[in-house]
Amino acid sequence: MAMKLNPNRNVPEAADLTSKEAVLEELGREESYLHMVTRRFLKHKMAFFGLIVFAIFVLVALLAPVLAPYDPNKIFGDFDASPSSAHLLGTDQVGRDVLSRLIFGSQVSLTVGVGAVAIYVAIGIVLGLLAGYFGKWVDMIIMRITDVFMSFPYFMVILVLVSIVGPSLSNITTVIGLLGWPAIARLVRGSVLSIKEMDYVKAGVALGYSTPKIIFQHILPNALAPILVNATFGVASAIIMEASLSFLGMGVRPPAASWGNMLTEAESITVLSSQPWLWFPPGLMILLAVLSINFMGDGLRDAIESQQAK
Amino acid sequence: MAQYIIRRILIAIPVILGVTILNFFIINLAPGNPVDMYVNPSATPQQIAMEKHALGLDQPIIIQYFHWLGQLIQGNLGFSYSTREPVTSLITSHIGPTMLLMGISLIIGYLIAIPLGIISARKQNSWVDYLTTGFSFFGVSVPHFFLGLGVIYLFATKVLLFPTGGMNTLGGSGSFSDLFVHLILPVAVLSTGIAGNMIRYVRSSMLDVLGKDYLRTAKAKGLRQFIITNKHALRNALIPIITVIGIDIPMLIGGAIVTEQVFQWPGLGLLTIQSISSRDYSTLMGINLIAAIAVLLANLLTDIFYAVADPRIRYE
C-alpha cells in the first residue's frame, strides 16, 4: 500500500523508521502528506489491529450470502435449539439459524454506519464551508442553527423522529444522517476560518478564481484531515445508535436480522439466563465492530496530529 | 464577568426559540392534530371547537406556534394522548428517578475517570496506562444494553447478588438499602460509559499540561512530584474538562433511555419508551423539550464555570 503511493522511491519496505527518514532526508525529498499519515497509521498497533478486524467485517458483510450456512429468514422445525453441528450457534425463538442471522446482521450495521455518516458529513461540509467562507450573517445564522441542533439530545430526537416516520433501515439511516451534521459543520467552519488567511487562498482570489473553485479545490482538501477523524468515530457511534434503536424495536425490525434486534429477545429473563447463545454473540459483534472502528479513529487522529505538530 | 454571563445568556435565547420551533415542527410531522394536545381531552367536541377558537387554534400555523409557545411559557405542556394526564405531571413524577440515576452515575463516572486519567498520563506507556486506555475504549464502545444485559446475566441470574431491575422491591418497605441495591447495576452500566469517555479527555489534557514550562519550573525549584501533579498540573488540566461535562449530558440522556429500559427503571427514559409504543406524541414532545432545555442549561452553566476558572476565555 505504502509502495503504491510513492512508486519511484527505492527505499526498502522494512520497518526501520529512522533509516527511512534519513534516506528521505538524503534524497532531499519531502514525503507526501498522505504517505506520511498512512505510514504513521499503519505503525500504530491498535489502529492496525482495528483496520484488520474492520476489514474482516466488511468482507463478511459483502460475502454474507456465500458465508452464511442458511437463509437468515428460513424457519427450522426446532426453535430455541442449543448450539449443535447443524446450527453452530443454535436457533432463535422462531427457529431461525442464529449464525446466519449474525452474518447478515453485519450488512445492516455497515449500511447504517457508513450511510448515515456519508449523509451528515456532506451536510456538515456544505454548511461549514458556507459559514466559514462567507462569514457575517451567513455564519451567524448557520451557527445558531447548529447550536439548536446541538442542544437537542441526539438519541432522544432520533427515537421520536423514527417513531413518527416509521422504523426501517432507510429511515434510521436518513434520520441519523439528517441530525448528525453539527459537529462536522463546526469543525469545517473552524478549519476554513484558519485556511482562509493562508497565502495560497489569497493568491487564488487575486488570480480571479471563482468562489466555488476556491472553496472546493483550495480550501476543502486542506480541511479534510479532521473531518476524516470525526467521521471515523461517527461510523462507530452510528452503529451503536442503530443497534440501540433496533434493540428498542425502533430500528430494523424482524424478520430482517440486525445485531441490535437479536438482543431484544434477551429482555426476557429466561432467554437471558438459559440461552446465552441467542444474545451474547450479536452483542459481542457490536462491541468488536465499534472497538475496531474506534481504534482506527484513534490511530488516524494520532497520525494526523503528530504530523501537524512537526 | 457579569457582562460575559449576560452575553452568554443573550446568545442562549435565540437558541431556546429555535429549539421550540424545531420541536413544534416535529409535532406537526406526527399524525393527529398537534393542537389537540393542549385541549383537555375530556371536553365535548363543541367545547373543544370553542376552546380551539378561543385559543386561536383555527389560525394559520405561525399563529398556532405562538399560541403553543404562550401555553408553554405558562407551563402547559398539553395532555397525554394515552393516559389523559397533563404531560407536566407525568414528567414531574418520572424526573426524580432519572435525576437520581444520572446524578449518581455522573459522580461515580468522574470519580473513576479523573484519578485513572491522571495516573495514565503520569505513567504514559506503562501497563497502567494500557489497562486504563483499554478500559476507556471498552466504556466508549460497549452498547449500554449489551453491558446491561451482561451484568444482569452475571450478577442477577447466575450469582444472585442484585435484583434484575426496578427501583424498589415490589411490596417491599421502600427502604434506603433496598433502593441502593437496585441502583448498583444501572449505575455501573452508565458510569462505565461516562468514565470511558472522560478518561480520554483527562489523560490528553493532563499530558498537554505536563509538558508545560511552568511545571518544569515547579520541578526545578524542588517541589515534590505529588504536589506538582495534584496541585499545579491538575488544576490547569481540569479547566478544559469542565466543558466536557456539558457535552456529556446529551450523551447521558441517550444512554439513560436504553439503560432505564433494560433495568425497568421508572424514569423519563422508560416513560419515553412507553410513550413511543403507545404513540403518545404529546408526552414525547414534552420530554424532548425538557431534555433540550436541560442540555442548554448544562451548556450555559459549564460555559460560565469555564469563564470563572479561566479568565482568558472572557476576552476572546
Side-chain angles (χ1 to χ4, degrees):
Chain A
M1 192 172 180
M3 290 297 263
K4 265 186 200 158
L5 289 168
N6 209 342
N8 47 5
R9 242 185 53 208
N10 59 350
V11 179
E13 198 50 1
D16 195 344
L17 236 165
T18 45
S19 76
K20 220 174 173 181
E21 269 165 1
V23 172
L24 274 173
E25 244 164 64
E26 258 172 52
L27 291 171
R29 206 183 293 159
E30 280 259 331
E31 193 178 18
S32 83
Y33 178 68
L34 187 63
H35 183 246
M36 184 180 257
V37 169
T38 314
R39 179 169 53 77
R40 284 180 190 276
F41 178 79
L42 292 177
K43 241 197 102 214
H44 196 288
K45 278 186 206 120
M46 291 210 299
F48 187 66
F49 171 75
L51 182 69
I52 289 177
V53 174
F54 184 68
I56 295 173
F57 273 113
V58 175
L59 275 180
V60 168
L62 290 176
L63 299 176
V66 186
L67 292 174
Y70 304 102
D71 177 337
N73 295 330
K74 189 181 176 201
I75 294 169
F76 293 89
D78 49 345
F79 47 88
D80 282 347
S82 32
S84 62
S85 56
H87 302 285
L88 288 177
L89 289 173
T91 58
D92 66 7
Q93 290 190 309
V94 190
R96 296 169 297 209
D97 182 56
V98 173
L99 180 62
S100 305
R101 295 181 71 71
L102 202 61
I103 290 172
F104 274 90
S106 61
Q107 293 182 334
V108 169
S109 292
L110 282 177
T111 310
V112 177
V114 177
V117 172
I119 296 174
Y120 77 62
V121 165
I123 300 176
I125 285 181
V126 171
L127 290 178
L129 286 174
L130 288 176
Y133 190 80
F134 292 107
K136 298 195 188 91
W137 62 271
V138 180
D139 183 33
M140 170 70 194
I141 290 176
I142 292 178
M143 281 302 109
R144 286 296 87 78
I145 296 176
T146 309
D147 285 345
V148 170
F149 273 83
M150 271 201 152
S151 56
F152 265 106
Y154 196 41
F155 187 72
M156 171 96 212
V157 182
I158 289 174
L159 204 57
V160 173
L161 273 176
V162 169
S163 80
I164 292 173
V165 295
S168 75
L169 182 64
S170 57
N171 279 352
I172 54 174
T173 310
T174 316
V175 168
I176 298 175
L178 288 180
L179 289 170
W181 55 267
I184 298 275
R186 280 197 179 176
L187 204 67
V188 175
R189 173 182 175 267
S191 304
V192 173
L193 284 180
S194 59
I195 295 171
K196 207 162 74 166
E197 301 304 319
M198 299 274 184
D199 287 340
Y200 61 83
V201 173
K202 288 182 178 159
V205 177
L207 285 167
Y209 289 156
S210 68
T211 306
K213 181 170 177 164
I214 293 173
I215 292 182
F216 285 102
Q217 281 189 10
H218 296 194
I219 294 183
L220 185 58
N222 290 293
L224 277 181
I227 300 176
L228 196 61
V229 174
N230 192 296
T232 310
F233 288 122
V235 172
S237 69
I239 288 178
I240 292 195
M241 200 85 73
E242 179 277 323
S244 306
L245 287 169
S246 299
F247 170 74
L248 294 172
M250 279 293 128
V252 176
R253 311 188 85 167
S258 134
W259 291 339
N261 73 28
M262 289 172 79
L263 273 114
T264 311
E265 288 179 0
E267 280 199 275
S268 120
I269 293 294
T270 31
V271 173
L272 184 72
S273 62
S274 57
Q275 293 158 308
W277 64 87
L278 286 184
W279 60 269
F280 192 75
L284 192 66
M285 286 304 112
I286 303 169
L287 177 60
L288 275 179
V290 173
L291 261 181
S292 70
I293 298 168
N294 279 337
F295 281 164
M296 280 161 51
D298 206 51
L300 207 54
R301 185 174 52 198
D302 284 356
I304 286 166
E305 276 177 4
S306 55
Q307 203 279 333
Q308 279 168 345
K310 278 204 153 187
Chain B
M1 189 67 223
Q3 207 189 350
Y4 173 83
I5 296 176
I6 292 169
R7 205 175 67 212
R8 191 59 193 72
I9 292 174
L10 286 181
I11 294 177
I13 290 174
V15 178
I16 291 185
L17 276 178
V19 164
T20 61
I21 291 173
L22 200 62
N23 216 329
F24 188 75
F25 173 73
I26 298 175
I27 303 175
N28 275 280
L29 277 180
N33 187 348
V35 298
D36 289 337
M37 283 177 193
Y38 55 92
V39 174
N40 190 330
S42 59
T44 66
Q46 285 92 341
Q47 276 175 315
I48 291 178
M50 272 172 66
E51 212 169 324
K52 273 186 182 176
H53 183 72
L55 290 166
L57 302 182
D58 42 4
Q59 302 281 313
I61 185 102
I62 296 171
I63 298 176
Q64 278 184 35
Y65 164 73
F66 284 107
H67 281 294
W68 176 78
L69 195 64
Q71 295 290 316
L72 192 72
I73 291 167
Q74 295 165 38
N76 182 5
L77 286 171
F79 294 88
S80 156
Y81 276 173
S82 56
T83 63
R84 310 205 146 198
E85 271 178 86
V87 171
T88 327
S89 62
L90 266 177
I91 288 177
T92 41
S93 65
H94 285 80
I95 204 165
T98 296
M99 302 248 283
L100 181 74
L101 180 63
M102 287 191 5
I104 295 180
S105 305
L106 261 182
I107 293 169
I108 294 192
Y110 290 168
L111 283 180
I112 296 171
I114 293 173
L116 280 182
I118 295 171
I119 298 172
S120 179
R122 276 282 298 138
K123 305 198 182 303
Q124 202 188 355
N125 298 328
S126 69
W127 64 269
V128 190
D129 183 23
Y130 290 139
L131 219 62
T132 307
T133 312
F135 169 73
S136 157
F137 268 108
F138 174 78
V140 176
S141 306
V142 70
H144 284 92
F145 59 90
F146 182 48
L147 185 59
L149 292 172
V151 294
I152 293 178
Y153 177 72
L154 288 178
F155 302 113
T157 69
K158 292 293 139 184
V159 186
L160 302 176
L161 275 178
F162 303 108
T164 56
M167 194 168 146
N168 301 102
T169 310
L170 276 180
S173 57
S175 66
F176 177 75
S177 61
D178 188 45
L179 174 68
F180 181 76
V181 170
H182 282 81
L183 262 170
I184 291 176
L185 292 185
V187 164
V189 170
L190 274 177
S191 45
T192 301
I194 295 165
N197 191 36
M198 196 64 176
I199 286 172
R200 300 201 289 196
Y201 290 104
V202 179
R203 183 177 177 274
S204 72
S205 179
M206 199 71 186
L207 277 177
D208 207 36
V209 170
L210 284 175
K212 288 273 182 338
D213 285 343
Y214 57 81
L215 285 194
R216 210 163 18 145
T217 310
K219 197 165 191 166
K221 69 177 188 184
L223 278 183
R224 276 189 298 134
Q225 188 60 49
F226 183 80
I227 294 187
I228 296 179
T229 309
N230 294 307
K231 197 173 161 202
H232 295 237
L234 184 61
R235 276 192 183 177
N236 288 292
L238 284 186
I239 293 173
I241 290 167
I242 295 174
T243 47
V244 180
I245 302 173
I247 302 167
D248 260 1
I249 303 291
M251 220 181 63
L252 190 58
I253 292 174
I257 295 175
V258 177
T259 309
E260 286 187 10
Q261 166 70 12
V262 171
F263 290 96
Q264 292 296 302
W265 186 264
L268 283 181
L270 203 61
L271 181 66
T272 306
I273 305 292
Q274 285 162 355
S275 310
I276 282 176
S277 43
S278 60
R279 307 203 147 259
D280 186 353
Y281 295 111
S282 49
T283 307
L284 281 177
M285 284 310 117
I287 302 173
N288 213 354
L289 206 59
I290 294 291
I293 289 170
V295 172
L296 265 172
L297 271 180
N299 279 323
L300 189 65
L301 284 178
T302 49
D303 275 6
I304 291 173
F305 278 132
Y306 193 16
V308 171
D310 188 351
R312 284 170 298 183
I313 294 302
R314 279 177 258 159
Y315 301 106
E316 267 176 21

